[in-house]
Amino acid sequence: MYRIGLISDTHGLLRPEALAFLQGCDHIVHGGDIGDPRILAQLAGLAPLTAVRGNNDVGAWADAVPAAARVEFAGLRLYVIHDLAELKIDPAAEGVRVVVCGHSHRPKAEERGGVWYVNPGSAGPPRFRLPISAAELRVDDGVVTPQLVELVKR
């Protein structure tokens, strides 16, 4: 079994609860609006990291972060983009099993047409009365199981 940690919309705040949740992951994906390049270094210290740039990621450090990324892990293809509205590929046609996004701050995991669309929500500062959350993908013998997790109870 493989565990892929999903985090997004940290906006410069990497909470201890998020770090604890991501411990032991085989890979971590950040869905954008990172807010501070030190967050990328901290996450990369836990596991191999894939990150995309969000609409609030600006400056020289952010220019080095791609707007979208493709990752293949344990035979599983993921496509990562910050804002799902900017998705310009047909994931199913390209063999993508999971699309990871952020932007809305709303945690959601929904399967459509054989593709999981997972938004881990916002793990950073509280916004819009939405939960502080992250997610994980458990991959076991080709079966993908997403799980959303509330990091901070309010």
Side-chain angles (χ1 to χ4, degrees), residues 3-4 14 21 31 34 40 49 61 70 76 82 84 92 96 102 110-111 114 118-119 126 128 131 134 136 138 151:
R3 181 173 173 245
I4 303 169
L14 188 53
F21 173 71
I34 301 154
L40 298 178
L49 173 67
W61 72 269
R70 296 170 191 262
L76 175 71
H82 181 61
L84 192 57
V96 171
E110 176 181 56
E111 189 174 22
V118 183
N119 184 332
F128 318 119
E136 68 181 4
R138 295 212 177 240
L151 297 174

Side-chain angles (χ1 to χ4, degrees), residues 20-108:
F21 173 71
L22 295 170
Q23 285 286 339
C25 284
D26 296 293
H27 197 96
I28 297 171
V29 174
H30 195 302
D33 277 356
I34 301 154
D36 186 324
R38 292 175 291 192
I39 288 174
L40 298 178
Q42 286 181 279
L43 294 175
L46 296 177
L49 173 67
T50 299
V52 296
R53 182 177 62 247
N55 58 298
N56 289 300
D57 294 323
V58 295
W61 72 269
D63 292 342
V65 180
R70 296 170 191 262
V71 175
E72 190 158 334
F73 185 79
L76 175 71
R77 285 190 188 153
L78 282 77
Y79 188 83
V80 188
I81 189 163
H82 181 61
D83 185 349
L84 192 57
E86 296 178 3
L87 183 67
K88 302 215 183 322
I89 68 162
D90 178 347
E94 295 196 24
V96 171
R97 280 283 292 126
V98 180
V99 174
V100 178
C101 62
H103 189 61
S104 74
H105 294 226
R106 296 181 191 283
K108 186 173 187 177

